[in-house]
Amino acid sequence: MEAELRSLRSLLTVARNEINNLRQQIRSLNHVHEKEVDEVKRILQSWRCPGCKQKNIQDHEYGNTSGSSNSNQSQNLVGPETLELSPIGIINSWFPEKRGTPRQPGVSGSARGKLTIFNTVFTNPEHALEGLEEYSHMWIVFHFHKNDSTHVRAKVAPPRLNGGRMGVFATRSPHRPCPVGLSLVQIDKVEGNMIFFSGVDMVDGTPVLDIKPYIPQYDDPLDCQHPLLSDNMETRLITDGRESDDEDLSPGILSLDLTPRRDSLAPVARSPVRDALMMVSHSPVRDSSLMGLREAPDGEEGTSPILGRPLVSPALSPGPSSGNMRPQALVRVPAWIADPPVSRLEVKFNEGAVAQLTTIQSERGESVEEARIAIQSVLQEDPRSVYLRQRWNNQFYTFLIAGLHVSCRFADNGSVVTVFRITAANKNCECGLPEWQCTIHNGTS
Ligand SMILES: C[S@@+](CC[C@H](N)C(=O)[O-])C[C@H]1O[C@@H](n2cnc3c(N)ncnc32)[C@H](O)[C@@H]1O
């Protein structure tokens, strides 16, 4: 009964969001100048398929020129105007608003979320999740349902570029013509029709279109080929727990260590291959103990990122997807991703904020440290938009996270952010407003 109620509530949230979206779309459509509408009508009326010369654009689903002898279908493709998809579930996250939501799952690996599969999709949605618990990670495909503008630009300004612009399809911007997001998250547990996961970059109530297990053998190009290493990367092959410099790929090889050579720690020339490898070797997948983090073999402090899986070489073991992979293809990312022009901020908590956080979390029986780390990880990546960042110095910023309302100030040199107040987001003042909105409580009266 309660589960049904919950799922009905979730459906209601999705429906409300959809209605809001539609309202927004109608509002923005109303703004379109009549002239533009006429122009579109004129173009549609005079449109003819260059292949079959058919007039009705609706007949050209996915550019399908059925009945046409024209084989040159890759040009002048016309897609359908709409595509109806129903969400399979909904996300519950610590972030009720876009503001302050991490930009990627890796930003706040500790931020937890829950995905509930609707029981309208399958009578027994838990059957559809059977076996998923055997994976450590999964992809979530979701709808950016909170995008407030329907006007999408071909070039966007990713915060990482600090004002620079880039083609939308070369970024992970939420503002895309087809507003679909893709996140790789860590599965914590699967319970009934719910998946609990870590590494959230979606707002609460986000509709989910699909989930798929993360399978490095299919999804990670480095798993399907010999990683090409730059000169400064040492290939220490780990055989049966013993370190070996033997480059000969014997069947006993278990994994490949990608730590830089200790004798070459001096700054090295940039190499996209090395950047990509280093990035991959520090990704949550590699950092997870599930993927085989081991102590540095020589007792050095800390751990060394070791790819905890068999080294797959196309020559020795073709693997299921190697047929489709170019064996020598490199994993490449642009420099603005590997080495962005913005740096992490130093996050400070003043005494008052620490005391407030301690009181709230103790009352709730929740971890103070976990909340502090989550707040820190959001702030150190500077969650402000580029516009906000560049507009004012000494800027105040507030956001909601895990039922907490956080107030902070970005210092004028832009490298330090100080949290000065934390209040419970769910507590109401006597005036009826949430405490964080009440001017008496937030000190703005
Ligand atoms: C940069 S996108 C990346 C999402 C995904 N990892 C991807 O690469 O497609 C993440 C940002 O999208 C925004 N966002 C998250 N969920 C959203 C939703 N349901 N609707 C609109 N925007 C959302 C938040 O501002 C968040 O910081």
Side-chain angles (χ1 to χ4, degrees), residues 236-388:
R236 274 177 299 183
L237 301 169
I238 314 294
T239 51
D240 297 323
R242 288 190 311 275
E243 197 176 329
S244 156
D245 282 322
D246 188 355
E247 300 266 340
D248 183 18
L249 295 176
S250 70
I253 291 166
L254 297 178
S255 52
L256 179 67
D257 188 347
L258 293 179
T259 45
R261 277 179 190 279
R262 243 161 302 118
D263 58 4
S264 60
L265 283 179
V268 293
R270 299 289 313 276
S271 141
V273 183
R274 190 178 52 88
D275 284 346
L277 287 170
M278 288 309 278
M279 275 191 46
V280 171
S281 69
H282 285 100
S283 73
V285 176
R286 276 7 176 257
D287 283 348
S288 154
S289 55
L290 282 165
M291 296 301 282
L293 265 185
R294 301 195 205 147
E295 290 220 344
D298 55 2
E300 208 176 46
E301 248 186 45
T303 52
S304 66
I306 295 174
L307 306 187
R309 57 190 172 178
L311 173 64
V312 180
S313 136
L316 297 174
S317 156
S321 55
S322 58
N324 298 331
M325 303 291 300
R326 285 171 299 146
Q328 293 307 313
L330 304 180
V331 174
R332 241 173 352 118
V333 289
W336 65 273
I337 298 283
D339 188 13
V342 286
S343 44
R344 281 192 165 173
L345 307 184
E346 184 188 345
V347 183
K348 293 180 177 169
F349 289 75
N350 75 13
E351 277 180 22
V354 174
Q356 287 162 341
L357 182 63
T358 310
T359 310
I360 298 167
Q361 294 299 87
S362 316
E363 278 173 10
R364 291 177 175 174
E366 287 173 16
S367 161
V368 178
E369 189 54 10
E370 194 179 64
R372 198 192 58 75
I373 291 173
I375 294 169
Q376 179 178 321
S377 49
V378 166
L379 288 176
Q380 71 188 7
E381 296 293 328
D382 197 344
R384 296 171 301 168
S385 65
V386 173
Y387 172 79
L388 273 185

Side-chain angles (χ1 to χ4, degrees), residues 6 61 71 117 155 231 238 258 386 389 416 427:
R6 262 204 308 275
E61 204 178 333
S71 60
I117 306 287
K155 285 210 165 194
D231 343 344
I238 314 294
L258 293 179
V386 173
R389 252 182 236 172
V416 179
K427 249 191 171 171

